[in-house]
Amino acid sequence: MKRRVVVIEGEDASPEAMRPSVEVIDSLGLPIEWIRPPVGRPALESHGDLFPEEARAAIDAADATFFGSTSGPSAPALLHLRWGLGTYANVRPARYLEGARSPLAEPAGVDFIIVRENLEDLYMGIEGEVEALDVLSLENRFSHRPISDMAPARFALKVISEEGSRNVIRFAFDLARRRRAEGHPGRLTCATKYNMLPRSDGFFRDIAVELAAEYPDIEFESFIIDDFGHRMVLHPHALDVVVMPNLYGDVMSDTAAGLVGGLGLAPSGCYGDDYAYFESAHGTAPDIAGRNVINPTATLLSGAMLLDHLGFGDAAAALRTAIEALYAEGKELTPDQGGVATTTAFCEAVRGRLGT
Ligand code: IPM
Ligand code: MN
């Protein structure tokens, strides 16, 4: 039976990476049906809605979604893919490909994965005027001044739930266990600001400490997020799987991408209990839109994660090997990697390597 994958190309330069990447994956001859429901600007024109019911139904009925990047119009679909479908674990690998441009003196062998909680923390969408907090008589815990004294000022709400934390931390431990079976160290690092936020981040950390007891085969360590950032830059080889709350994970995954060659190479997959979707970690790159130079590596590697998820592990491995070979050879790279190849030329070269 064919697996059904919804494709949402996104905005600005994103479709330029998505279209040839889908062609590359399609050339592998797997039983995948690509479904392109109306989303974003075209949907607004044809259906009077950026995210028509038809698109939502197509996503829900599919085995997975392959998402580009959005500058706004496709955001309602993204919100559905995350919050609507409960994709709580955002998996962001930082793996160095020989030949990629890294600022590190010794990037070879860097290979770790950030698992970012994807639905909670400061991503509640709840912000407001501090005067509204008067009713709660909230005061600064350190200065003991009423928060409303700071007006004009705004607040944002950070919520860390027990269930949400447990889900993503367990996911990260299980991932570390699977990687250990493949020869990785079997280590989970938890990064939070538990010293300043003992009740929220401390809660996340406590749950990680508690779950660690169920994974005696996995070495567990916990760092304060700023210390973690320093360690990540200085000793990235020591990392295996890292778990952290949403906002830190957003920031640290872009930072990690910078260490191993930039956002042009950074894939991502978001997993829930019943659904998963795949998207590059980068944005829509409006500055290079229309020039056919966006690096499709992040999209292709997200595609490899999609293939793994669909059960096409051999095809995923072949795709990764083809991309690795191109970087090692260094001839057909895009401008962000110091090359002169176009997006489509890179994808052609991947197909050349794949023999498709
Ligand atoms: C990402 C992006 C998103 C996020 C934006 C587009 C909402 O930065 O996927 O990392 O912050 O999660
Ligand atoms: Mn981000």
Side-chain angles (χ1 to χ4, degrees):
M1 222 188 50
K2 280 205 168 186
R3 313 304 302 275
R4 287 185 299 175
V5 176
V6 163
V7 179
I8 297 172
E9 291 182 348
E11 284 84 42
D12 302 327
S14 174
E16 296 166 47
M18 285 293 282
R19 275 179 211 143
S21 297
V22 170
E23 278 172 26
V24 169
I25 298 169
D26 195 51
S27 76
L28 291 163
L30 300 164
I32 296 176
E33 183 189 344
W34 305 99
I35 297 161
R36 294 180 175 77
V39 169
R41 265 185 223 106
L44 189 61
E45 279 162 30
S46 59
H47 293 66
D49 190 346
L50 289 169
F51 187 43
E53 182 49 40
E54 176 189 335
R56 176 189 304 254
I59 288 174
D60 292 1
D63 292 294
T65 291
F66 196 21
F67 192 87
S69 314
T70 180
S71 59
S74 300
L78 180 67
L79 300 184
H80 178 64
L81 285 163
R82 288 196 190 176
W83 285 273
L85 294 170
T87 50
Y88 54 80
N90 184 352
V91 174
R92 296 195 154 171
R95 189 164 76 94
Y96 179 69
L97 306 184
E98 204 72 52
R101 265 194 169 176
S102 164
L104 295 172
E106 289 164 18
V110 171
D111 183 355
F112 62 95
I113 298 187
I114 290 179
V115 179
R116 161 197 184 191
E117 196 290 317
N118 212 27
L119 308 174
E120 305 192 342
D121 187 12
L122 275 159
Y123 283 60
M124 293 283 104
I126 301 174
E127 299 178 295
E129 307 286 338
V130 289
E131 286 95 329
L133 300 173
D134 244 359
V135 284
L136 302 172
S137 322
L138 292 179
E139 60 173 37
N140 182 316
R141 190 152 66 87
F142 307 106
S143 70
H144 303 292
R145 302 256 298 271
I147 292 293
S148 53
D149 269 11
M150 294 172 79
R154 312 261 165 98
F155 71 88
L157 195 64
K158 171 174 167 118
V159 180
I160 303 279
S161 81
E162 178 173 347
E163 189 190 3
S165 305
R166 210 176 275 283
N167 282 342
V168 73
I169 294 165
R170 195 175 280 289
F171 184 101
F173 269 116
D174 288 338
L175 177 62
R177 196 170 258 177
R178 288 200 301 280
R179 275 169 65 87
R180 183 169 185 262
E182 290 164 7
H184 292 278
R187 182 178 302 127
L188 182 69
T189 307
C190 178
T192 59
K193 192 74 188 175
Y194 65 85
N195 53 342
M196 282 302 283
L197 299 166
R199 300 202 60 197
S200 50
D201 278 17
F203 191 43
F204 188 93
R205 176 180 182 259
D206 287 348
I207 292 167
V209 170
E210 179 199 313
L211 284 178
E214 290 179 35
Y215 294 85
D217 49 326
I218 303 301
E219 186 191 324
F220 175 76
E221 58 186 17
S222 161
F223 296 116
I224 298 171
I225 185 72
D226 40 358
D227 177 28
F228 168 79
H230 179 251
R231 287 167 190 267
M232 183 179 86
V233 171
L234 252 59
H235 308 293
H237 295 91
L239 299 172
D240 184 1
V241 179
V242 188
V243 69
M244 52 187 115
N246 203 340
L247 184 61
Y248 309 136
D250 187 28
V251 175
M252 286 299 168
S253 58
D254 274 33
T255 311
L259 290 180
V260 294
L263 283 168
L265 282 81
S268 159
C270 298
Y271 304 78
D273 288 332
D274 313 308
Y275 204 83
Y277 80 95
F278 300 85
E279 57 173 353
S280 63
H282 63 64
T284 61
D287 51 322
I288 53 167
R291 291 174 40 202
N292 191 24
V293 293
I294 185 170
N295 188 343
T297 306
T299 304
L300 287 165
L301 292 175
S302 303
M305 294 173 78
L306 162 72
L307 293 179
D308 273 330
H309 177 70
L310 294 175
F312 303 128
D314 291 346
L319 180 54
R320 288 193 184 98
T321 303
I323 292 168
E324 279 161 28
L326 282 186
Y327 275 88
E329 192 185 60
K331 279 192 203 142
E332 292 282 353
L333 303 183
T334 46
D336 59 302
Q337 298 301 312
V340 293
T342 60
T343 309
T344 42
F346 181 90
C347 288
E348 280 300 317
V350 175
R351 287 185 62 168
R353 285 277 169 178
L354 286 167
T356 61

